[in-house]
Amino acid sequence: MSIPPTERNVHLKLRTHAEAHLKAGSAPPTKGWPTGTNALNLLYTLASSAESADAALKLLHELQVHQVELDLQHEQLENTRRELLEDLARYKGLYESAPVGYFNVSFEGCILEGNVAGAELFGSGLDKLRGLRIESLLAPASRPVLVELLRRLQAGDSKNSREVQSGRANGSRPLRVVASIAPGGASFLMVFLNTADPNVS
């Protein structure tokens, strides 16, 4: 089976970097990747004979290059993992501290997660909201409006909005809900805006 050109180029680039690091004496600290017993025995056998000493040197070089390749790959993976964790923390902070109510809702209409502003808007704690049906937070007359909005999204609308009224837990108030299908298509994303707030247009 042939190696795809892109993969071959990546390996060649990695090998070139590894050899350059070895030549410059700047290889990253080894992570202790073990060298197999069979490889060491072969290296010893080759080095013991004058006729095969050159082969032993070549094998040693290959082992060193491979070691540095592994260390460089490990460094890249660690950098990528750190960047992903930083991105996750940043987006989580943006979601949780947003000034509007955000909710992730299952296709069955149950709240999967929300943010602080959403919980405050409905006068509840986040833990109490998880698992509740989203329409249960609204006044009875507004519930069918929200259910219809979600039905339209599942039928193919990319984004939709409606005017609704919140329930009485934290005082009834007019709200605008904007909803869309979440990336990946497995749930709804919903934003609730308090239209009685003069800062909301």
Side-chain angles (χ1 to χ4, degrees):
M1 187 177 75
S2 63
I3 300 172
T6 305
E7 192 176 324
R8 193 162 46 241
N9 290 341
V10 168
H11 179 72
L12 183 60
K13 188 175 179 182
L14 182 62
R15 183 181 177 86
T16 303
H17 283 162
E19 288 181 328
H21 277 294
L22 271 175
K23 189 173 182 180
S26 61
T30 179
K31 300 299 178 186
W33 313 114
T35 302
T37 305
N38 291 341
L40 289 174
N41 285 335
L42 177 59
L43 186 60
Y44 177 77
T45 302
L46 291 172
S48 300
S49 167
E51 294 81 24
S52 57
D54 283 347
L57 288 174
K58 286 179 183 175
L59 178 59
L60 177 60
H61 177 72
E62 285 301 312
L63 287 171
Q64 288 175 323
V65 170
H66 185 61
Q67 172 78 54
V68 177
E69 285 178 350
L70 286 173
D71 292 333
L72 290 172
Q73 284 179 321
H74 182 78
E75 258 187 14
Q76 289 171 352
L77 287 171
E78 281 297 309
N79 289 339
T80 301
R81 187 184 70 85
R82 189 166 45 254
E83 288 169 7
L84 287 172
L85 287 174
E86 288 169 1
D87 285 347
L88 180 63
R90 183 169 64 254
Y91 285 113
K92 187 177 179 185
L94 287 171
Y95 178 84
E96 290 178 349
S97 62
V100 294
Y102 276 123
F103 290 96
N104 189 1
V105 177
S106 72
F107 280 161
E108 292 72 37
C110 296
I111 297 171
L112 301 173
E113 58 185 345
N115 67 350
V116 173
E120 288 175 353
L121 191 62
F122 293 105
S124 183
L126 279 176
D127 291 339
K128 291 182 180 178
L129 291 178
R130 284 191 189 95
L132 290 179
R133 294 194 61 82
I134 189 70
E135 71 269 18
S136 70
L137 303 178
L138 303 181
S142 292
R143 292 173 188 174
V145 175
L146 185 60
V147 170
E148 174 61 16
L149 173 122
L150 299 183
R151 189 195 66 76
R152 283 180 173 274
L153 287 173
Q154 281 187 295
D157 282 6
S158 59
K159 187 166 94 170
N160 218 317
S161 66
R162 292 287 187 279
E163 303 298 322
V164 293
Q165 197 79 16
S166 70
R168 296 182 181 276
N170 197 30
S172 184
R173 64 188 72 181
L175 304 172
R176 181 185 308 134
V177 55
V178 182
S180 64
I181 300 287
S187 60
F188 300 112
L189 291 180
M190 307 180 75
V191 177
F192 284 88
L193 303 163
N194 180 4
T195 53
D197 185 339
N199 296 315
V200 175
S201 56

